[in-house]
Amino acid sequence: MNKNRQIKEAKVAEIKEKLEKAQAVILASYQGLTVEEDTELRKKLREAGIEYKVYKNTMVTLAAKELGHEGIVPFLEGPVSIAFGYEDATAPARILADFAKTHKKLELKAGIVDGEVFDQDKVQQLASIPSKEVLIAKLLGSFKAPLSNLAYLLNAIKEKNEAESAE
């Protein structure tokens, strides 16, 4: 087997591994971004623990087909970047969508979330979901409110009983 083919097979295997491991994979068209803008985007993604890569579309197509993600293939046209989110499924879409609001050249194309192919509209919906930490904080807040109200009520009853017994 020639060396070029070995390199390509290794690259497809690498992409396959990333696609399997990631909770969310978001495709974006980045054509027209300046080097500074791209560097800024990469920094934001890296800080959130998101891997951001540009691969040849043919390599991604081969890897996606091997994994049964043929639905993503039509979106692999033109310059496409890929954000792999391994811990938070909403983070790649959220960060890319926020960046796209101020940088019109960046366009979300599609994604794969837990094995399901998302079109551009679904990716935008995914981007609007708050982070896991925000959702947990809201959940804990909703648990805390009734308990706080119960504590105030029990304290008021106790004070009322103490005032009645003092009379």
Side-chain angles (χ1 to χ4, degrees), residues 65-85:
K65 284 182 177 178
E66 285 183 29
L67 293 173
H69 298 309
E70 288 89 0
I72 204 77
V73 174
F75 300 102
L76 292 168
E77 290 186 10
V80 176
S81 60
I82 306 172
F84 299 94

Side-chain angles (χ1 to χ4, degrees), residues 94-125:
R94 192 175 51 256
I95 292 169
L96 288 170
D98 285 346
F99 193 81
K101 287 177 187 172
T102 56
H103 301 83
K104 300 299 180 197
K105 302 279 185 187
L106 183 73
E107 177 187 336
L108 300 180
K109 293 182 90 171
I112 302 171
V113 180
D114 291 329
E116 183 183 342
V117 175
F118 279 32
D119 63 5
Q120 186 178 17
D121 293 335
K122 281 187 176 180
V123 171
Q124 289 292 349
Q125 289 173 0

